[in-house]
Amino acid sequence: MTCRESAVIAGIPWFEACFRRMDPSVQIDWHTADGQRVAPGAVICRLSGKARALVSAERTALNFLQLLSGTATQAAAYVAALASTTTRLLDTRKTLPGMRLAQKYAVRCGGGYNQRMGLYDAILVKENHIIAAGSIAAAVDAARQLHPTLMLEVEVENLDELAQAIDARVDRIMLDNFPLPLMAEAVQFTAGRVPLEVSGNVGLETIAAFAHTGVDFISVGALTKHVRAIDLSLRLRLD
């Protein structure tokens, strides 16, 4: 199997599982590893086994490896754009249905970090929660009572809400769709009291400028939502 373009490989466990399910005797000799970048034309692996097993599992196995390598490659591009900063790249829950664990694994292969896996391992208080509870303070208090040990983050849309979130002593604050000047002002106002995360309108052309304001994290939904599969080719050879 070869890669037809520059890419960061991710998804080897899923690729292998497809062939093992068809025939446990299939042998796979890897020439790379998850998290490694390969050049166009690089040999990714060589497989040996019964033709029926190889051609039956081929499409599903390639689907996994192409998609997850696309996710990892995208993440690596964003990480590279942050190279001159201390800001960390985060993913979101905006993953393809049924693929969350796999795509979040791929983000890590690309050098990014996982924000949260689901509703069970961290709390993100968003605008609808605040509206339903009546205020940021009320929403935070209710969340703390239900799950006092979970990391609690609040999404804010302006400096007034930022001040309320700081007063509520949350673990992290998300600046949602803040324009660049307001983002810089928010960093100065917060003065390191609470870690800040930026979300919204983040692209490869804007992420470095956002990071240079001094925010701690930038989350990008496009890492797992707008994915282009990597072009891989698997050719059969009869011995």
Side-chain angles (χ1 to χ4, degrees), residues 101-122:
L101 292 179
Q103 284 194 285
K104 283 181 171 285
Y105 168 83
V107 168
R108 298 196 302 274
C109 288
Y113 294 83
N114 298 146
Q115 187 199 57
R116 58 176 179 159
M117 289 294 176
L119 300 178
Y120 57 88
D121 59 338

PDB file of all heavy atoms in Angstrom, residues 101-122:
ATOM      1  N   LEU A 101     -14.002   8.421  19.107  1.00  0.00           N
ATOM      2  CA  LEU A 101     -12.755   7.938  19.700  1.00  0.00           C
ATOM      3  C   LEU A 101     -11.654   7.844  18.654  1.00  0.00           C
ATOM      4  O   LEU A 101     -10.497   8.196  18.918  1.00  0.00           O
ATOM      5  CB  LEU A 101     -12.974   6.582  20.370  1.00  0.00           C
ATOM      6  CG  LEU A 101     -13.859   6.575  21.615  1.00  0.00           C
ATOM      7  CD1 LEU A 101     -14.004   5.158  22.153  1.00  0.00           C
ATOM      8  CD2 LEU A 101     -13.295   7.485  22.696  1.00  0.00           C
ATOM      9  N   ALA A 102     -12.012   7.383  17.463  1.00  0.00           N
ATOM     10  CA  ALA A 102     -11.017   7.237  16.401  1.00  0.00           C
ATOM     11  C   ALA A 102     -10.496   8.592  15.940  1.00  0.00           C
ATOM     12  O   ALA A 102      -9.283   8.788  15.774  1.00  0.00           O
ATOM     13  CB  ALA A 102     -11.624   6.474  15.224  1.00  0.00           C
ATOM     14  N   GLN A 103     -11.389   9.551  15.735  1.00  0.00           N
ATOM     15  CA  GLN A 103     -10.946  10.861  15.263  1.00  0.00           C
ATOM     16  C   GLN A 103     -10.150  11.610  16.325  1.00  0.00           C
ATOM     17  O   GLN A 103      -9.183  12.307  16.011  1.00  0.00           O
ATOM     18  CB  GLN A 103     -12.140  11.694  14.802  1.00  0.00           C
ATOM     19  CG  GLN A 103     -12.675  11.276  13.438  1.00  0.00           C
ATOM     20  CD  GLN A 103     -13.616  12.312  12.863  1.00  0.00           C
ATOM     21  OE1 GLN A 103     -14.758  12.434  13.298  1.00  0.00           O
ATOM     22  NE2 GLN A 103     -13.139  13.074  11.895  1.00  0.00           N
ATOM     23  N   LYS A 104     -10.535  11.463  17.574  1.00  0.00           N
ATOM     24  CA  LYS A 104      -9.775  12.123  18.633  1.00  0.00           C
ATOM     25  C   LYS A 104      -8.390  11.486  18.782  1.00  0.00           C
ATOM     26  O   LYS A 104      -7.411  12.173  19.096  1.00  0.00           O
ATOM     27  CB  LYS A 104     -10.565  12.106  19.942  1.00  0.00           C
ATOM     28  CG  LYS A 104     -11.682  13.154  19.957  1.00  0.00           C
ATOM     29  CD  LYS A 104     -12.447  13.149  21.255  1.00  0.00           C
ATOM     30  CE  LYS A 104     -13.400  14.344  21.326  1.00  0.00           C
ATOM     31  NZ  LYS A 104     -12.714  15.609  21.600  1.00  0.00           N
ATOM     32  N   TYR A 105      -8.305  10.190  18.549  1.00  0.00           N
ATOM     33  CA  TYR A 105      -6.998   9.530  18.501  1.00  0.00           C
ATOM     34  C   TYR A 105      -6.158  10.126  17.374  1.00  0.00           C
ATOM     35  O   TYR A 105      -4.965  10.407  17.540  1.00  0.00           O
ATOM     36  CB  TYR A 105      -7.203   8.028  18.286  1.00  0.00           C
ATOM     37  CG  TYR A 105      -5.951   7.257  17.944  1.00  0.00           C
ATOM     38  CD1 TYR A 105      -5.081   6.821  18.941  1.00  0.00           C
ATOM     39  CD2 TYR A 105      -5.647   6.950  16.616  1.00  0.00           C
ATOM     40  CE1 TYR A 105      -3.926   6.109  18.616  1.00  0.00           C
ATOM     41  CE2 TYR A 105      -4.501   6.237  16.292  1.00  0.00           C
ATOM     42  CZ  TYR A 105      -3.648   5.820  17.294  1.00  0.00           C
ATOM     43  OH  TYR A 105      -2.505   5.116  16.968  1.00  0.00           O
ATOM     44  N   ALA A 106      -6.782  10.346  16.224  1.00  0.00           N
ATOM     45  CA  ALA A 106      -6.067  10.898  15.073  1.00  0.00           C
ATOM     46  C   ALA A 106      -5.580  12.318  15.347  1.00  0.00           C
ATOM     47  O   ALA A 106      -4.491  12.704  14.905  1.00  0.00           O
ATOM     48  CB  ALA A 106      -6.965  10.872  13.839  1.00  0.00           C
ATOM     49  N   VAL A 107      -6.375  13.109  16.060  1.00  0.00           N
ATOM     50  CA  VAL A 107      -5.946  14.464  16.429  1.00  0.00           C
ATOM     51  C   VAL A 107      -4.667  14.397  17.261  1.00  0.00           C
ATOM     52  O   VAL A 107      -3.728  15.171  17.051  1.00  0.00           O
ATOM     53  CB  VAL A 107      -7.063  15.204  17.194  1.00  0.00           C
ATOM     54  CG1 VAL A 107      -6.523  16.483  17.841  1.00  0.00           C
ATOM     55  CG2 VAL A 107      -8.217  15.544  16.258  1.00  0.00           C
ATOM     56  N   ARG A 108      -4.613  13.453  18.188  1.00  0.00           N
ATOM     57  CA  ARG A 108      -3.399  13.295  18.999  1.00  0.00           C
ATOM     58  C   ARG A 108      -2.218  12.867  18.130  1.00  0.00           C
ATOM     59  O   ARG A 108      -1.086  13.309  18.351  1.00  0.00           O
ATOM     60  CB  ARG A 108      -3.633  12.282  20.127  1.00  0.00           C
ATOM     61  CG  ARG A 108      -4.706  12.699  21.121  1.00  0.00           C
ATOM     62  CD  ARG A 108      -4.646  11.884  22.412  1.00  0.00           C
ATOM     63  NE  ARG A 108      -4.780  10.457  22.210  1.00  0.00           N
ATOM     64  CZ  ARG A 108      -5.929   9.805  22.142  1.00  0.00           C
ATOM     65  NH1 ARG A 108      -7.082  10.474  22.236  1.00  0.00           N
ATOM     66  NH2 ARG A 108      -5.970   8.495  21.981  1.00  0.00           N
ATOM     67  N   CYS A 109      -2.476  12.014  17.147  1.00  0.00           N
ATOM     68  CA  CYS A 109      -1.405  11.606  16.232  1.00  0.00           C
ATOM     69  C   CYS A 109      -0.846  12.809  15.477  1.00  0.00           C
ATOM     70  O   CYS A 109       0.337  12.835  15.121  1.00  0.00           O
ATOM     71  CB  CYS A 109      -1.921  10.571  15.235  1.00  0.00           C
ATOM     72  SG  CYS A 109      -2.241   8.933  15.943  1.00  0.00           S
ATOM     73  N   GLY A 110      -1.691  13.802  15.227  1.00  0.00           N
ATOM     74  CA  GLY A 110      -1.259  14.999  14.521  1.00  0.00           C
ATOM     75  C   GLY A 110      -0.643  16.052  15.414  1.00  0.00           C
ATOM     76  O   GLY A 110      -0.256  17.123  14.931  1.00  0.00           O
ATOM     77  N   GLY A 111      -0.552  15.765  16.718  1.00  0.00           N
ATOM     78  CA  GLY A 111       0.083  16.701  17.640  1.00  0.00           C
ATOM     79  C   GLY A 111      -0.870  17.569  18.427  1.00  0.00           C
ATOM     80  O   GLY A 111      -0.436  18.408  19.225  1.00  0.00           O
ATOM     81  N   GLY A 112      -2.180  17.389  18.211  1.00  0.00           N
ATOM     82  CA  GLY A 112      -3.165  18.161  18.953  1.00  0.00           C
ATOM     83  C   GLY A 112      -3.546  17.486  20.256  1.00  0.00           C
ATOM     84  O   GLY A 112      -3.030  16.409  20.603  1.00  0.00           O
ATOM     85  N   TYR A 113      -4.471  18.110  20.971  1.00  0.00           N
ATOM     86  CA  TYR A 113      -4.944  17.601  22.256  1.00  0.00           C
ATOM     87  C   TYR A 113      -6.457  17.459  22.217  1.00  0.00           C
ATOM     88  O   TYR A 113      -7.140  18.177  21.491  1.00  0.00           O
ATOM     89  CB  TYR A 113      -4.553  18.551  23.396  1.00  0.00           C
ATOM     90  CG  TYR A 113      -3.067  18.651  23.625  1.00  0.00           C
ATOM     91  CD1 TYR A 113      -2.285  19.512  22.851  1.00  0.00           C
ATOM     92  CD2 TYR A 113      -2.439  17.890  24.601  1.00  0.00           C
ATOM     93  CE1 TYR A 113      -0.913  19.600  23.049  1.00  0.00           C
ATOM     94  CE2 TYR A 113      -1.069  17.978  24.811  1.00  0.00           C
ATOM     95  CZ  TYR A 113      -0.311  18.832  24.031  1.00  0.00           C
ATOM     96  OH  TYR A 113       1.046  18.915  24.226  1.00  0.00           O
ATOM     97  N   ASN A 114      -6.960  16.525  23.017  1.00  0.00           N
ATOM     98  CA  ASN A 114      -8.404  16.329  23.107  1.00  0.00           C
ATOM     99  C   ASN A 114      -8.998  17.271  24.137  1.00  0.00           C
ATOM    100  O   ASN A 114      -8.475  17.409  25.244  1.00  0.00           O
ATOM    101  CB  ASN A 114      -8.739  14.892  23.494  1.00  0.00           C
ATOM    102  CG  ASN A 114      -8.261  13.872  22.478  1.00  0.00           C
ATOM    103  OD1 ASN A 114      -7.878  12.767  22.831  1.00  0.00           O
ATOM    104  ND2 ASN A 114      -8.272  14.229  21.199  1.00  0.00           N
ATOM    105  N   GLN A 115     -10.106  17.912  23.769  1.00  0.00           N
ATOM    106  CA  GLN A 115     -10.798  18.785  24.708  1.00  0.00           C
ATOM    107  C   GLN A 115     -11.574  17.940  25.714  1.00  0.00           C
ATOM    108  O   GLN A 115     -11.228  17.850  26.869  1.00  0.00           O
ATOM    109  CB  GLN A 115     -11.738  19.738  23.961  1.00  0.00           C
ATOM    110  CG  GLN A 115     -12.373  20.792  24.848  1.00  0.00           C
ATOM    111  CD  GLN A 115     -13.610  21.394  24.213  1.00  0.00           C
ATOM    112  OE1 GLN A 115     -14.543  20.674  23.882  1.00  0.00           O
ATOM    113  NE2 GLN A 115     -13.614  22.704  24.036  1.00  0.00           N
ATOM    114  N   ARG A 116     -12.626  17.295  25.284  1.00  0.00           N
ATOM    115  CA  ARG A 116     -13.376  16.349  26.114  1.00  0.00           C
ATOM    116  C   ARG A 116     -13.976  15.306  25.191  1.00  0.00           C
ATOM    117  O   ARG A 116     -14.255  15.571  24.024  1.00  0.00           O
ATOM    118  CB  ARG A 116     -14.469  17.045  26.935  1.00  0.00           C
ATOM    119  CG  ARG A 116     -15.481  17.818  26.106  1.00  0.00           C
ATOM    120  CD  ARG A 116     -16.599  18.402  26.954  1.00  0.00           C
ATOM    121  NE  ARG A 116     -17.545  19.150  26.122  1.00  0.00           N
ATOM    122  CZ  ARG A 116     -18.789  19.427  26.473  1.00  0.00           C
ATOM    123  NH1 ARG A 116     -19.252  19.016  27.637  1.00  0.00           N
ATOM    124  NH2 ARG A 116     -19.583  20.114  25.672  1.00  0.00           N
ATOM    125  N   MET A 117     -14.165  14.105  25.727  1.00  0.00           N
ATOM    126  CA  MET A 117     -14.709  13.024  24.917  1.00  0.00           C
ATOM    127  C   MET A 117     -16.221  13.130  24.766  1.00  0.00           C
ATOM    128  O   MET A 117     -16.780  12.815  23.729  1.00  0.00           O
ATOM    129  CB  MET A 117     -14.346  11.672  25.531  1.00  0.00           C
ATOM    130  CG  MET A 117     -12.878  11.323  25.391  1.00  0.00           C
ATOM    131  SD  MET A 117     -12.421  11.074  23.659  1.00  0.00           S
ATOM    132  CE  MET A 117     -10.663  10.801  23.817  1.00  0.00           C
ATOM    133  N   GLY A 118     -16.887  13.562  25.832  1.00  0.00           N
ATOM    134  CA  GLY A 118     -18.342  13.634  25.789  1.00  0.00           C
ATOM    135  C   GLY A 118     -18.870  14.485  26.922  1.00  0.00           C
ATOM    136  O   GLY A 118     -18.154  15.314  27.495  1.00  0.00           O
ATOM    137  N   LEU A 119     -20.114  14.255  27.280  1.00  0.00           N
ATOM    138  CA  LEU A 119     -20.738  15.012  28.359  1.00  0.00           C
ATOM    139  C   LEU A 119     -20.370  14.466  29.732  1.00  0.00           C
ATOM    140  O   LEU A 119     -20.757  15.046  30.744  1.00  0.00           O
ATOM    141  CB  LEU A 119     -22.264  14.981  28.194  1.00  0.00           C
ATOM    142  CG  LEU A 119     -22.810  15.574  26.891  1.00  0.00           C
ATOM    143  CD1 LEU A 119     -24.332  15.425  26.846  1.00  0.00           C
ATOM    144  CD2 LEU A 119     -22.410  17.031  26.747  1.00  0.00           C
ATOM    145  N   TYR A 120     -19.619  13.377  29.758  1.00  0.00           N
ATOM    146  CA  TYR A 120     -19.364  12.675  31.012  1.00  0.00           C
ATOM    147  C   TYR A 120     -18.018  13.008  31.657  1.00  0.00           C
ATOM    148  O   TYR A 120     -17.823  12.744  32.840  1.00  0.00           O
ATOM    149  CB  TYR A 120     -19.422  11.157  30.781  1.00  0.00           C
ATOM    150  CG  TYR A 120     -18.465  10.668  29.722  1.00  0.00           C
ATOM    151  CD1 TYR A 120     -17.159  10.322  30.043  1.00  0.00           C
ATOM    152  CD2 TYR A 120     -18.863  10.579  28.390  1.00  0.00           C
ATOM    153  CE1 TYR A 120     -16.273   9.898  29.065  1.00  0.00           C
ATOM    154  CE2 TYR A 120     -17.989  10.153  27.413  1.00  0.00           C
ATOM    155  CZ  TYR A 120     -16.693   9.813  27.753  1.00  0.00           C
ATOM    156  OH  TYR A 120     -15.821   9.403  26.777  1.00  0.00           O
ATOM    157  N   ASP A 121     -17.067  13.573  30.902  1.00  0.00           N
ATOM    158  CA  ASP A 121     -15.726  13.754  31.458  1.00  0.00           C
ATOM    159  C   ASP A 121     -15.347  15.217  31.667  1.00  0.00           C
ATOM    160  O   ASP A 121     -14.270  15.514  32.178  1.00  0.00           O
ATOM    161  CB  ASP A 121     -14.679  13.062  30.580  1.00  0.00           C
ATOM    162  CG  ASP A 121     -14.668  13.578  29.150  1.00  0.00           C
ATOM    163  OD1 ASP A 121     -15.684  14.137  28.706  1.00  0.00           O
ATOM    164  OD2 ASP A 121     -13.641  13.404  28.469  1.00  0.00           O
ATOM    165  N   ALA A 122     -16.203  16.143  31.279  1.00  0.00           N
ATOM    166  CA  ALA A 122     -15.991  17.572  31.528  1.00  0.00           C
ATOM    167  C   ALA A 122     -17.311  18.284  31.262  1.00  0.00           C
ATOM    168  O   ALA A 122     -18.174  17.774  30.545  1.00  0.00           O
ATOM    169  CB  ALA A 122     -14.889  18.139  30.641  1.00  0.00           C
TER     170      ALA A 122
END
